[in-house]
């Protein structure tokens, strides 16, 4: 039975499906990130946010750094797991931390997070949770309460470091929930509780892959032979869905959109490798081609409490067109993307900016809309494929209420 | 023996009698029943009401409405069929239902569609009725008894044995009335016992008596059976009935008490007798809304005040709150609820268990008495209903081992906790959530005066957000002016307008904040009249509508319109211009002209969930579709703590 979020998957088994991981070179080839110090997370828009945020809001950096330092006041060297890249985030600068012992390298959740984030197959939430696990590992807390406080600080700093990423926030919340709930439940001794938490965090990566598999399986019923599927941007879940469908010998055609950051191009690349007939559209051709589309399939950056989704810019208008032409709009999203947000309209989210390259210099008096994402209200969505099952939009909030209350 | 048996049979038939065509077919009367069961009388005609032994007389206009509304059941006879099973299937003991609710309880309305199996049941019953009537009857058959018998059948509609009285009442004009639900429950209990007794007696008789009795048996059985949820056919269920009933009784506890219909004449008279207040004459009332309790205005205040010493059993604190309701000094769901709870608290403090009684039971009935008094002063709001339910469940769950003083302290602290957690703290949480939705430069619109919305606006102002407020108001309450005053005093920049201008201001508005009196589990928001139009205009202009409401006001009922449940205001209020006694265009009408005039002052309306963007509640911001989740969790929480 699929009940609570990711835990049931965990309980089921450990075997992991690493078929997903798209090959890194395809990312590199497609879109050179503006600030490029790392290969992109396949969900390119998200990592684009980070780059730009770091560049545009230098203030934030010192801000979070102070917080991060405070969060991990005392700590020895993080056990060196993946601490090889120091360039990702400016850790050296914020030397506000108290006693820096040992190697002198301050442990920072955010570094940790950034290092995890570079793994292409790893979802944002997983990276966040791994980073939090590292906090537990390095923590010197001696009681559960201390540990909790420390974790709370760390997750807050992570969240405030990048307020635009919904799955980061959701991942942190989810893990915190797990920590508070589990430790409240079992009175085992501190060290075993700690190792349990770490174990849990480690498993989360598998969970996320597993979730994708489940979603792919669930959604097979909705992809029928001969259908034409419109996808927008690059989403690993959607890719997994289509891949599974191709493996199941279904015949379908895919139309890809997603222009400014060339995610559509990358997606079509992936599909071409699978020998799926694919056609690339510019975003403005959506309405033109909509009548030949049978199914619209989106990924999501975040699924919000209203049952709507937040996704790459352009999703909303495609959903609008599809809705007005009575085409089903499906969303594939893992349950850890469910977030306790409730946007009322498009502007009701923290802005996520992304530079847009028009190829020619823009006159300084001309303004450019640089927002990277939009909000699609629930009435334009037909169903959501999640690892909790195939849900209608209104169930999302029920799930969230039960999860968080 | 026979005579005695008959007299026993009467009450039993009475309680179910109005359901079925064959009730009068108890021994004496099959032939007279026959024609009427075959040709159901028009329920619209009062004459048929009083004469037909078969039909319940549904109040005239009610059946009119129903005919119009539920196309599925156009035949008058079927209308009844529709409602009977509904009632039966919904509420465990229909006698209770009948007692305090009208032929068609509103709850039943929504249930109607599921009446498939039940209407089938009805047909079965009616068949049996025909069958019964076609049977040659036994020794009791007095054809001359036709008329008296039909009268008896009418009496059968009255749930209680006091027929003559009930009959009198029937004749009396339709009067509003408040029955205590607890009383109703008690009565239900009595009646079910009586019914069980009667049934068992009938059973005994069946085995004992030859002749007419056996043939009559099968006819009587079916109506009895109806109490049981499944409309089973048959014979020996009478033993089971007792069991069924107790089970049903249990279940009934979980259900919200059915609401009264004030146009139900048989109820009206008794209510009038019992009520403390003078009931205003129901003149010029809109037909469609007759079922609602008429407005009682503050002019009765002196009268009620003078009766203070006659009403011994009312605690002064409760009395005071009641008077405040009546005078309109207390308004707003939260304020009324808190005042009521505090009055109860006081009453509980001063309470001492009378000798020979247990606290749990006596206090519950006492509270029930208070509540019915308060209802008389003004109908309860949904929130108060929930609070009362909370209190009663707390009383019922008091451990028996507690001493009286301990029990009282526990209850008082429970009430405090309820006020604190469910209202005060809930408001604070709502403030925090709602304030995140206010951005600099916003133009917020609010309608009427909701205390939560007011707090939100002030809180956002304290946070230093820059925004404007549009206060929309409407006659006759003009509550918005009070809100406006308080906001302006605090330094908010405000715009004040009337509801008429809403479409003009709406295009500049970025958020609409509304309060709610209650939210139903289908997401319908029940709020001050006018709210629906504001929400609809906002929706048309694509402005998000935020409804702010504490979770204790959520109600598990489903309501689709604002007709079947509502509250009437003072009809004269809308015909007058406040402050201008000289302007009253309706004054000089002759009585004859006035007959054509119906004034309707509704207090609430229902906003469909489609027009609501989000509900801000103490559990966070939820879409209207998630109300049932909260209702479920919430009920569990406060009933089982």
């Amino acid at each position: 039975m699929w009940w609570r979020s990711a835990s049931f998957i965990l309980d089921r088994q450990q075997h992991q499906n690493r078929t997903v991981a798209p090959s890194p070179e395809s990312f590199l080839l497609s879109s050179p990130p503006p600030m490029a110090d790392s290969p992109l997370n396949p969900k390119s828009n998200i990592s684009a946010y980070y780059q730009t945020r770091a560049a545009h809001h230098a203030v934030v950096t010192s801000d979070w750094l102070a917080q991060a330092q405070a969060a991990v006041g005392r700590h020895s060297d993080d056990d060196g797991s993946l601490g090889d890249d120091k360039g990702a985030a400016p850790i050296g600068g914020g030397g506000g931390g108290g006693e820096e012992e040992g190697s002198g390298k301050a442990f920072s959740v955010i570094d940790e997070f950034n290092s995890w984030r570079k793994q292409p197959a790893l979802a944002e939430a997983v990276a966040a949770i791994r980073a939090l696990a590292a906090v537990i590992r390095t923590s010197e807390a001696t009681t559960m309460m201390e540990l909790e406080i420390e974790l709370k600080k760390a997750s807050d700093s992570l969240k405030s470091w990048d307020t635009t990423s919904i799955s980061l926030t959701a991942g942190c919340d989810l893990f915190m929930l797990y920590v508070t709930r589990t430790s409240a439940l079992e009175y085992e001794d501190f060290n075993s509780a700690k190792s349990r938490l770490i174990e849990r965090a480690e498993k989360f990566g598998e969970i996320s892959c597993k979730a994708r598999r489940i979603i792919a399986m669930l959604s097979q019923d909705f992809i029928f032979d001969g259908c034409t599927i419109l996808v927008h941007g690059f989403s690993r879940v959607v890719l997994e869905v289509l891949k599974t469908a191709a493996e199941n010998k279904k015949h379908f055609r895919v139309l890809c959109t997603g222009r400014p950051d060339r995610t559509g191009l990358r997606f079509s690349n992936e599909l071409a490798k699978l020998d799926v007939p694919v056609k690339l559209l510019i975003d403005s051709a959506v309405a033109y081609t909509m009548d030949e589309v049978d199914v619209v399939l989106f990924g999501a950056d975040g699924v919000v409490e209203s049952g709507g989704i937040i996704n790459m810019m352009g999703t909303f208008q495609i959903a609008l067109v599809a809705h007005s032409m009575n085409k089903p709009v499906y969303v594939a999203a893992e349950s850890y993307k469910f977030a306790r947000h409730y946007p009322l309209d498009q502007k009701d989210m923290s802005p996520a900016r992304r530079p847009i390259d028009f190829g020619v210099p823009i006159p300084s008096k001309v303004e450019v809309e640089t927002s990277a994402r939009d909000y699609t209200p629930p009435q334009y969505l037909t169903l959501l494929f999640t690892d909790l099952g195939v849900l209608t939009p209104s169930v999302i909030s029920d799930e969230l209420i039960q999860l968080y209350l | 023996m026979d005579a005695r048996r008959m007299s026993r049979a009467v009450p039993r038939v009475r309680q179910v009698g109005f359901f079925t065509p064959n009730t009068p077919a108890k021994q004496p009367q099959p032939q007279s029943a026959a024609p009427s069961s075959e040709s159901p009388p028009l329920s619209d005609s009062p004459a048929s009401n009083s004469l037909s032994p078969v039909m319940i007389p549904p109040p005239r206009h009610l059946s009119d409405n129903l005919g119009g509304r539920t196309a599925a059941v156009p035949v008058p006879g079927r209308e009844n069929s529709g409602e009977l099973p509904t009632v039966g299937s919904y509420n465990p003991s229909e006698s209770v239902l009948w007692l305090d609710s009208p032929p068609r309880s509103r709850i039943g309305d929504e249930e109607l569609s599921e009446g498939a199996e039940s209407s089938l049941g009805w047909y079965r019953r009616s068949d049996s009725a025909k069958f019964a009537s076609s049977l040659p009857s036994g020794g009791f058959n007095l054809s001359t008894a036709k008329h008296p018998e039909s009268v008896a059948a009418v009496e059968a509609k009255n749930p209680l044995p006091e027929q003559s009285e009930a009959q009198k009442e029937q004749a009396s004009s339709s009067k509003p009335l408040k029955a205590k639900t607890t009383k109703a429950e008690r009565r239900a209990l009595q009646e079910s016992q009586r019914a069980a007794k009667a049934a068992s007696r009938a059973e005994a008789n069946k085995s004992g008596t030859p002749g007419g009795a056996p043939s009559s048996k099968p006819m009587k059985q079916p109506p009895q059976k109806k109490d049981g949820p499944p409309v089973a056919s048959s014979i020996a269920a009478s033993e089971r009935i007792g069991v069924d009933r107790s089970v049903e009784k249990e279940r009934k506890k979980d259900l919200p008490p059915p609401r009264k219909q004030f146009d139900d004449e048989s109820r009206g008279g008794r209510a009038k007798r019992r009520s403390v207040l003078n009931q205003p004459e129901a003149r010029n009332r809109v037909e469609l809304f007759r079922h609602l309790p008429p407005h009682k205005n503050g002019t009765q205040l002196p009268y009620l005040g003078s009766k203070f010493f006659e009403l011994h059993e009312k605690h002064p604190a409760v009395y005071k709150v009641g008077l405040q309701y009546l005078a309109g000094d207390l308004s707003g769901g939260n304020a009324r609820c808190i005042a009521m709870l505090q009055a109860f608290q006081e009453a509980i403090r001063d309470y001492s268990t009378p000798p020979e009684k247990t606290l749990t039971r006596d206090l519950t009935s006492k509270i029930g008495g208070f509540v019915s008094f308060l209802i008389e002063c003004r109908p309860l709001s949904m929130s108060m209903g929930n609070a009362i339910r909370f209190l009663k469940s707390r009383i019922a769950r008091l451990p028996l081992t507690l001493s009286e003083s301990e029990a009282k302290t526990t209850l008082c602290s429970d009430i405090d906790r309820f006020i604190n957690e469910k209202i005060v703290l809930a408001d604070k949480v709502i403030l925090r959530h709602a304030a995140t939705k206010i951005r600099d430069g916003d133009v917020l619109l609010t309608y009427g005066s909701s205390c939560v919305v007011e707090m939100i606006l002030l809180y956002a102002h304290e946070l230093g957000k820059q925004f404007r407020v549009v206060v929309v108001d409407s006659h006759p309450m003009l509550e918005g002016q009070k809100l406006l005053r308080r906001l302006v005093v605090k330094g908010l920049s405000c715009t004040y307008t009337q509801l008429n201008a809403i479409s003009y201001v709406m295009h500049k508005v970025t958020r609409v904040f509304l309060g709610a009196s209650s939210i139903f589990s289908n997401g319908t928001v029940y709020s001050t009249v006018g709210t629906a139009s504001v929400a609809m205009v906002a929706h048309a202009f694509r402005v998000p509508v935020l409804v702010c409401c504490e979770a204790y006001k959520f109600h598990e009922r489903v309501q689709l319109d604002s007709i079947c449940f509502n509250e009437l205001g003072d009809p004269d209020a809308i015909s007058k211009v406040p402050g201008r006694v000289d302007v009253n265009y309706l004054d000089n009408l002759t009585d004859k002209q006035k007959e054509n005039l119906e004034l309707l002052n509704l207090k609430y309306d229902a906003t469909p969930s489609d027009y609501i963007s989000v509900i801000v509640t103490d559990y966070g911001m939820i879409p209207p579709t998630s109300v049932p989740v909260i209702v479920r969790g919430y009920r569990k929480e406060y009933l089982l703590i």
Side-chain angles (χ1 to χ4, degrees):
Chain A
M1 288 305 289
W2 294 321
W3 282 125
R4 283 279 59 81
S5 72
S7 58
F8 73 90
I9 314 170
L10 176 75
D11 301 339
R12 261 153 122 235
Q13 77 234 56
Q14 266 75 5
H15 95 266
Q16 56 182 28
N17 255 326
R18 282 285 169 177
T19 49
V20 208
S23 50
E25 68 276 0
S26 66
F27 307 141
L28 291 172
L29 136 167
S30 52
S31 81
M35 295 259 314
D37 60 352
S38 62
L40 277 185
N41 208 337
K43 300 192 77 185
S44 64
N45 46 2
I46 291 187
S47 48
Y49 302 163
Y50 300 147
Q51 313 301 336
T52 43
R53 271 193 74 84
H56 290 226
H57 310 270
V59 209
V60 176
T61 345
S62 60
D63 197 37
W64 63 251
L65 200 64
Q67 266 178 309
Q69 292 296 351
V72 272
R74 61 205 119 83
H75 45 271
S76 58
D77 191 11
D78 130 46
D79 47 347
S81 53
L82 317 111
D84 44 1
D85 50 297
K86 284 190 91 181
I91 64 144
E99 54 254 78
E100 294 195 4
E101 37 186 345
S103 66
K105 182 199 169 198
F107 169 77
S108 148
V109 212
I110 289 149
D111 290 343
E112 186 68 27
F113 173 62
N114 277 331
S115 66
W116 282 111
R117 193 160 58 77
K118 286 182 192 123
Q119 300 192 7
L122 213 55
E124 192 90 343
V126 182
I129 286 169
R130 293 244 165 115
L132 290 178
V135 173
I136 299 179
R137 228 179 272 122
T138 56
S139 157
E140 289 169 0
T142 50
T143 63
M144 211 54 211
M145 201 61 205
E146 259 180 87
L147 186 66
E148 252 184 75
I149 293 169
E150 212 165 294
L151 269 179
K152 183 94 185 83
K153 276 188 196 152
S155 83
D156 283 350
S157 65
L158 261 185
K159 282 195 263 181
S160 62
W161 178 66
D162 182 12
T163 53
T164 64
S165 168
I166 292 161
S167 52
L168 168 62
T169 317
C172 288
D173 286 348
L174 209 64
F175 190 66
M176 288 308 294
L177 202 72
Y178 179 76
V179 171
T180 42
R181 292 250 168 116
T182 341
S183 59
L185 283 177
E186 350 184 354
Y187 295 92
E188 48 192 350
D189 83 304
F190 178 64
N191 282 325
S192 64
K194 203 167 150 180
S195 60
R196 174 185 293 271
L197 288 178
I198 293 173
E199 185 192 353
R200 165 78 183 192
E202 299 290 325
K203 277 188 182 158
F204 212 86
E206 300 158 27
I207 293 171
S208 88
C209 294
K210 198 102 208 322
R212 260 176 243 158
R213 289 295 319 153
I214 292 170
I215 292 169
M217 263 138 50
L218 284 176
S219 50
Q220 291 312 302
D221 296 345
F222 297 86
I223 296 173
F224 48 92
D225 269 340
C227 69
T228 305
I229 303 171
L230 177 69
V231 297
H232 182 63
F234 188 103
S235 155
R236 277 167 298 180
V237 198
V238 173
L239 184 60
E240 178 79 18
V241 169
L242 296 181
K243 213 184 246 176
T244 317
E247 280 162 12
N248 290 351
K249 306 269 185 281
K250 297 205 173 173
H251 296 279
F252 57 93
R253 204 159 70 96
V254 180
L255 306 179
C256 295
T257 65
R259 203 158 58 148
D261 49 6
R262 297 192 226 175
T263 45
L265 190 63
R266 196 192 315 164
F267 198 79
S268 56
N269 235 334
E270 291 290 322
L271 287 174
K273 281 187 209 155
L274 300 171
D275 288 333
V276 174
V278 57
K279 189 182 194 179
L280 205 52
L281 302 180
I282 54 172
D283 289 20
S284 34
V286 167
Y288 172 77
T289 42
M290 189 54 83
D291 55 355
E292 55 184 279
V293 171
D294 295 308
V295 170
V296 178
L297 188 56
F298 295 133
D301 290 352
V303 180
V304 294
E305 213 164 347
S306 59
I309 57 167
I310 293 176
N311 197 21
M312 178 188 159
M313 185 63 96
T315 306
F316 181 36
Q317 68 197 28
I318 296 177
L320 274 176
V321 172
H323 184 257
S324 69
M325 298 202 186
N326 290 329
K327 308 286 181 187
V329 178
Y330 300 130
V331 175
E334 301 94 327
S335 61
Y336 56 73
K337 286 177 179 166
F338 292 7
R340 297 212 75 191
H341 283 241
Y342 204 122
L344 293 173
D345 52 32
Q346 298 299 329
K347 307 282 155 45
D348 194 14
M349 301 177 280
S350 56
R353 306 266 168 230
R354 169 193 59 192
I356 295 177
D357 183 17
F358 283 90
V360 287
I362 310 281
S364 61
K365 283 183 184 170
V366 176
E367 228 182 315
V368 176
E369 174 61 63
T370 52
S371 179
R373 60 187 186 182
D374 60 18
Y375 163 62
T376 309
Q379 61 263 37
Y380 302 110
L381 307 179
T382 315
L383 288 174
L384 293 112
F385 307 147
T386 74
D387 44 330
L388 306 175
V390 178
L391 311 177
T392 58
S394 61
V395 180
I396 301 295
S397 115
D398 301 4
E399 289 291 336
L400 276 168
I401 290 171
Q402 286 173 16
L403 194 62
Y404 284 100
L405 289 183
Chain B
M1 176 64 199
D2 278 345
R4 199 180 143 220
R5 200 177 67 201
M6 258 195 74
S7 69
R8 284 301 167 183
V10 170
R12 177 187 125 195
V13 169
R14 175 172 303 126
Q15 72 152 345
V16 278
F18 57 91
F19 282 119
T20 40
N22 63 346
T23 35
K26 59 191 151 78
Q27 304 87 323
Q29 229 351 33
Q31 275 136 355
S32 64
S36 42
S37 73
E38 259 134 58
S39 62
L42 291 175
S43 52
D44 313 49
S45 88
S48 73
N49 282 349
S50 58
L51 287 177
S52 155
V54 177
M55 308 306 301
I56 327 166
R60 213 171 100 248
H61 63 89
L62 183 72
S63 63
D64 288 345
N65 307 346
L66 293 177
R69 277 200 294 147
T70 56
V73 280
V75 193
R78 274 217 59 195
E79 249 168 63
N80 278 342
S81 81
E83 81 210 16
L84 301 179
T86 308
V87 166
S89 68
Y90 196 75
N91 199 304
S93 69
E94 70 287 344
S95 54
V96 176
L97 219 146
W98 180 237
L99 190 108
D100 32 346
S101 97
R104 165 179 299 258
S105 75
R106 267 172 236 83
I107 306 162
D109 255 3
E110 283 98 20
E111 299 272 307
L112 195 63
S113 57
E114 80 183 31
E117 113 273 11
S118 43
S119 69
L120 193 133
W122 183 77
Y123 282 128
R124 197 182 305 149
R125 248 174 271 130
S126 71
D127 285 345
S128 71
K130 274 173 202 156
F131 159 74
S133 55
S134 65
L135 273 182
S137 66
F140 295 107
N141 187 357
L142 322 162
S143 56
T144 50
K146 171 169 184 168
H147 200 73
E149 191 55 34
S150 60
V151 171
V154 175
E155 287 166 12
K157 281 153 230 148
N158 298 309
L160 289 187
E162 330 119 41
Q163 299 132 343
S164 57
E165 181 186 278
Q167 237 171 327
K168 251 186 286 157
E169 284 162 10
Q170 222 165 9
S172 74
S173 69
S174 83
K175 273 319 162 63
L177 116 335
K178 293 63 230 283
K180 306 169 194 172
T181 40
T182 50
K183 198 156 254 177
E185 278 165 21
R186 261 180 280 136
R187 197 163 285 162
L189 182 69
Q190 276 176 5
E191 274 184 20
S192 62
Q193 285 164 347
R194 194 178 299 142
K197 216 186 287 174
S200 60
R201 190 154 304 159
E203 194 76 355
N205 288 337
K206 187 205 244 172
S207 55
T209 48
S215 71
S216 71
K217 229 46 128 307
M219 313 161 197
K220 278 192 302 186
Q221 227 79 27
Q224 273 277 325
K225 204 133 307 133
K226 217 167 340 90
D227 326 357
V231 196
S233 59
S234 255
I235 330 153
S238 52
E239 304 96 306
R240 218 180 47 205
I241 286 172
V243 181
D244 279 356
R245 282 190 178 263
S246 65
V247 170
E248 283 157 12
K249 198 133 294 165
E250 286 301 303
R251 214 176 31 182
K252 189 193 68 172
K253 296 246 162 72
D254 294 341
L255 296 173
R259 276 158 286 162
K260 284 171 294 248
Q261 300 281 62
F262 283 80
D263 45 2
D264 180 358
E265 313 210 335
S266 64
R267 305 280 306 135
R270 215 171 316 133
K272 189 183 179 190
R273 239 185 326 104
R274 203 181 296 142
S275 73
V276 181
L277 289 180
N278 284 327
Q279 303 298 339
E281 276 306 315
R283 58 177 171 82
N284 292 347
R285 288 176 56 196
V286 181
E287 276 287 296
L288 193 57
F289 292 94
R290 276 252 173 127
H291 58 284
L292 301 174
H295 177 75
K296 272 154 272 175
N297 53 22
T299 53
Q300 302 209 2
L301 210 51
Y303 171 74
L304 192 60
S306 69
K307 278 188 85 172
F308 178 74
F309 293 102
E310 296 166 35
L311 300 163
H312 312 290
E313 77 275 26
K314 308 285 176 265
H315 190 275
V318 177
Y319 202 82
K320 179 178 148 201
V321 172
L323 293 184
Q324 281 173 327
Y325 287 172
L326 188 64
D329 292 345
L330 266 178
S331 60
N334 284 345
R336 282 169 64 197
C337 188
I338 292 177
M340 178 191 73
L341 284 175
Q342 282 170 345
F344 285 170
Q345 211 175 6
E346 208 137 303
I348 289 175
R349 270 193 209 108
D350 297 345
Y351 171 84
S352 63
T353 317
E356 315 263 318
K357 290 195 177 173
T358 58
L359 178 130
T360 317
R361 285 170 189 270
D362 189 54
L363 190 56
T364 311
S365 67
K366 200 107 188 192
I367 297 280
F370 295 158
V371 169
S372 61
F373 170 73
L374 292 181
I375 293 180
E376 261 180 54
C377 297
R378 189 178 162 184
L380 293 184
S381 68
M382 228 61 78
S383 53
M384 292 158 75
N386 282 344
I388 292 167
R389 237 197 297 173
F390 164 80
L391 181 58
K392 286 194 174 167
S393 78
R394 298 305 305 167
I395 295 176
R397 271 165 228 274
L398 279 177
L400 290 172
T401 52
L402 280 188
S403 73
E404 187 182 310
S405 64
E406 278 170 337
K408 279 157 63 179
T409 346
T410 319
L411 286 178
C412 288
S413 70
D414 277 339
I415 293 179
D416 273 335
R417 197 164 49 91
F418 186 88
I419 294 178
N420 208 21
E421 277 179 20
K422 301 300 178 196
I423 305 179
V424 179
L425 286 179
D427 279 344
K428 284 192 181 143
V429 177
I430 292 176
L431 291 194
R432 284 223 310 279
H433 284 299
T436 60
K437 293 295 169 206
I438 301 179
R439 299 165 301 188
D440 281 351
D442 264 350
V443 180
L444 313 178
L445 183 141
T446 182
Y447 174 72
S449 168
S450 153
C451 67
V452 191
V453 172
E454 180 185 345
M455 284 191 274
I456 290 169
L457 298 176
L458 294 177
Y459 178 71
H461 183 68
E462 272 169 33
L463 292 182
K465 304 209 176 192
Q466 302 294 316
F467 59 92
R468 284 192 68 78
V469 180
V470 180
V471 178
V472 179
D473 205 354
S474 74
H475 274 278
M477 297 289 280
L478 294 178
E479 286 171 318
Q481 292 185 353
K482 296 174 205 154
L483 173 70
L484 185 73
R485 182 178 175 82
R486 293 190 291 259
L487 292 182
V488 170
V489 165
K490 291 278 165 99
L492 281 83
S493 51
C494 295
T495 306
Y496 178 77
T497 183
Q498 291 280 325
L499 188 56
N500 327 346
I502 184 104
S503 61
Y504 176 74
V505 291
M506 192 56 88
H507 72 276
K508 292 185 197 135
V509 172
T510 55
R511 297 273 188 274
V512 174
F513 282 87
L514 298 173
S517 169
S518 179
I519 298 182
F520 299 115
S521 57
N522 58 346
T524 302
V525 172
Y526 181 72
S527 187
T528 325
V529 69
T531 305
S533 37
V534 173
M536 286 174 189
V537 173
H539 183 259
F541 280 81
R542 304 201 62 84
V543 178
V545 178
L546 295 91
V547 174
C548 308
C549 180
E550 300 86 353
Y552 85 103
K553 291 181 180 172
F554 288 16
H555 201 281
E556 70 270 21
R557 179 183 299 157
V558 168
Q559 191 169 319
L560 302 173
D561 56 34
S562 36
I563 296 172
C564 40
F565 187 81
N566 214 319
E567 190 182 328
L568 292 178
D570 184 6
D572 293 330
I574 50 172
S575 64
K576 287 181 185 143
V577 180
R580 292 286 302 276
V581 190
D582 52 319
V583 184
N584 191 346
Y585 300 108
L586 300 178
D587 257 357
N588 303 327
L589 294 178
T590 63
D591 280 353
K592 179 112 173 57
Q593 286 163 328
K594 271 188 177 170
E595 270 174 23
N596 300 327
L597 172 69
E598 291 172 341
L599 294 170
L600 177 63
N601 180 9
L602 282 180
K603 290 237 176 163
Y604 295 101
D605 65 11
T607 311
S609 61
D610 305 352
Y611 304 107
I612 312 292
S613 317
V614 57
I615 293 170
V616 186
T617 177
D618 32 336
Y619 290 93
M621 286 178 281
I622 59 165
T625 50
S626 291
V627 175
V629 182
I630 301 279
V631 171
R632 251 182 279 138
Y634 182 69
R635 289 202 60 197
K636 223 180 288 160
E637 182 188 326
Y638 82 73
L639 289 179
L640 298 184
I641 287 173

